Amino acid sequence: MDNKLFTPGPLNTKSSVKGAMLHDMGSRDVEFLEVVKQIRSELLTIAGLKPDDGYDTVLMQGSGTFGVESVISTAIPAFGHLLLITNGAYGDRIKQMTQVYGIKTTTLKYKENIVPPVKDAEEILLDDETITHIAIVHCETTTGIFNDIEGIGLLAKRFSKTYIVDAMSSFGAVPIDMKVLDIDLLISSSNKCIEGVPGFSFVIAKIQTLESCIGQARTVSLDLYSQWIEMKKNNQFRFTPPIQSVLAFRKAIDQLKVEGGVEKRAERYRKNYLRLIEGTEALGLHTYLDKKDQGYIITSFLFPENPNFDFTRFYESLHLRGQVIYQGKLSDTNCFRIGNIGQLYLQDIENLLKAIKEVLVEMKISLVLKR
Ligand SMILES: *Cc1c(COP(=O)(O)O)cnc(C)c1O
C-alpha cells in the first residue's frame, strides 16, 4: 500500500483516478479533445459559473507555479503596476516572478500569521492611481491561513482593478464564487483539492480580461493568451499535453461530484482538520496560527519545546510507519506541516495520531495528556 500523504500535494488519489491514466492517446485525438472540453466546462461549474457568465478556462502544462507564472507574465501589461499582498512563501514567489519580468510592483508584506487587513490595501489604492492589478493567495499553504479574498475582491471591484487570486490549495474544497468575488483570473492545479495527479494547472478567467492580454506575453511557453486562443478554437494545448494527467483529472472531477461537490469535500476535510487539532492538542502540540485564521486545508505545528525533538528523526520515524508529513516553510519559526486533503478520512487521521504518539514516546518527549 502507498504511504499516506499529509502534504499539500501531490496527494493520495483514488485508484479509479490513477486507473484512468492507463491509455495512450494522441494530442489531436477527438476523444482527448472532448475530455479537455468537458474539463474546461466542469471547472466553470465548480467556480460557481454558468456558460454565459463570460468566463473561460485555460489549461496550462506544468505544476501550479507554471499556471501562476503564465498569469503574471501575460496578464500584466508593460505599463501595468501590481499590488501584491503576501503573507507567505507562495505570495513571495509571485514577487520573485515580477522581479524576473521587471513588472512594477508594490508589495504589502505581512508576517505569516497575519491576515492582511483590507484597509492597508485600500490606503495604497487611494494613494496610488497607477495600480492596475491586485494579486493575493487564497489559502497561503505556507501556514494554512485563509486570506480575505472577499474583502480584497470588493476593493478590486470598487477601484476597478484586475483581480488575480492564487487559489491553488483551496479550489475544489473551499466554495469560491468567482462572479460574486469578481475575480478576473483564478489559478489552481490538477493535484490539489480536485484530487487529480500532477501535470497541469488551470486558469479560470473573465473572457474580457483574457481578450485584453493579446500581445502581452513575456514568454513563449507560458503565453496564457495564445493557449486560450488555441483551447477556444479546438480544445488543444499548443505543445504536448499531459494526456494521462488530463484523463485522470476528468475522473477526479467525476469523483468530486460523486462525493457531493465542493461543500461535501469541504466537510470531509474540515472533519479531518478538527480531529487532527483535537488529537494533536491532546499530545501537547501547538499550532502556529491563531485558530480563527487557520483554514482546514493544512496546519503548521510548532516544534515541541523539548531538547529531544529532532525533526529529521520525527519525519523519518513517521515515514517508516507509512505516514508522510511535510516540512515547515516559515521564515522565522520552526514548524512542520500536516495536510488533511486528498484521499484522507477520519481513520487515516487516527492512524497518524497514533503514529505521532508512538514517535514522540520513542524520542522521549513527555506528552501533555488532556485530563
Ligand atoms: C501548491 C501551491 C502552488 C504551486 O506549487 P507547485 O509546486 O508549482 O505545484 C502555488 N500556490 C499555492 C498557494 C500552493 O499551495
Side-chain angles (χ1 to χ4, degrees), residues 8 63-65 68 90 93 137 139 141 166 168-169 189 191-192:
S63 78
T65 305
V68 175
Y90 295 94
R93 193 176 288 173
V137 175
C139 172
T141 319
D166 171 351
M168 205 70 63
S169 61
S189 80
N191 63 284
K192 293 213 169 164

Side-chain angles (χ1 to χ4, degrees), residues 22-273:
L22 301 175
H23 295 282
D24 297 317
M25 253 181 222
S27 51
R28 281 156 202 246
D29 203 313
V30 282
E31 203 184 330
F32 175 68
L33 299 182
E34 192 52 41
V35 174
V36 172
K37 185 175 166 196
Q38 265 182 30
I39 288 175
R40 291 176 59 221
S41 134
E42 295 280 5
L43 286 172
L44 292 181
T45 309
I46 296 172
L49 299 165
K50 294 193 186 60
D52 56 0
D53 279 341
Y55 289 77
D56 205 351
T57 312
V58 188
L59 311 187
M60 181 61 79
Q61 297 95 328
S63 78
T65 305
F66 292 65
V68 175
E69 188 152 350
S70 78
V71 166
I72 297 298
S73 64
T74 309
I76 305 169
F79 58 84
H81 180 176
L82 176 69
L83 170 59
L84 172 66
I85 303 165
T86 173
N87 57 345
Y90 295 94
D92 294 349
R93 193 176 288 173
I94 295 180
K95 168 91 184 174
Q96 200 185 344
M97 292 170 189
T98 64
Q99 286 166 341
V100 166
Y101 296 113
I103 294 168
K104 186 173 181 199
T105 304
T106 296
T107 309
L108 275 174
K109 185 168 166 67
Y110 298 86
K111 203 168 143 47
E112 288 124 325
N113 59 358
I114 303 286
V115 175
V118 173
K119 63 164 178 27
D120 291 1
E122 185 182 17
E123 266 171 34
I124 301 250
L125 292 169
L126 285 169
D127 203 51
D128 190 342
E129 286 178 3
T130 68
I131 287 166
T132 52
H133 293 64
I134 304 176
I136 189 167
V137 175
H138 183 204
C139 172
E140 183 41 271
T141 319
T142 312
T143 53
I145 203 166
F146 276 0
N147 287 332
D148 182 8
I149 57 168
E150 289 85 1
I152 301 296
L154 283 175
L155 270 190
K157 190 167 189 159
R158 195 176 118 208
F159 288 87
S160 306
K161 308 300 180 193
T162 302
Y163 188 31
I164 301 169
V165 175
D166 171 351
M168 205 70 63
S169 61
S170 54
F171 189 80
V174 182
I176 298 174
D177 190 322
M178 281 195 62
K179 211 169 142 190
V180 169
L181 302 189
D182 205 33
I183 298 170
D184 287 272
L185 301 130
L186 174 144
I187 311 119
S188 188
S189 80
S190 58
N191 63 284
K192 293 213 169 164
C193 297
I194 309 274
E195 300 187 358
V197 305
F200 65 96
S201 53
F202 53 87
V203 179
I204 305 176
K206 276 187 201 161
I207 290 175
Q208 213 184 351
T209 307
L210 286 169
E211 283 169 345
S212 75
C213 292
I214 187 165
Q216 289 181 180
R218 293 167 175 84
T219 80
V220 173
S221 55
L222 296 175
D223 179 346
L224 182 71
Y225 178 81
S226 300
Q227 186 92 335
W228 172 57
I229 294 297
E230 200 68 14
M231 292 247 153
K232 195 165 67 135
K233 217 162 46 189
N234 49 25
N235 291 294
Q236 283 184 15
F237 286 70
R238 285 175 308 146
F239 311 117
T240 303
I243 302 266
Q244 284 73 15
S245 171
V246 169
L247 295 176
F249 194 71
R250 194 249 315 253
K251 190 69 182 178
I253 290 179
D254 287 349
Q255 293 302 309
L256 174 62
K257 289 201 270 189
V258 167
E259 186 168 358
V262 176
E263 301 281 348
K264 288 289 173 198
R265 182 149 297 175
E267 207 174 296
R268 172 163 61 88
Y269 288 175
R270 198 181 290 112
K271 278 185 187 156
N272 287 347
Y273 161 72

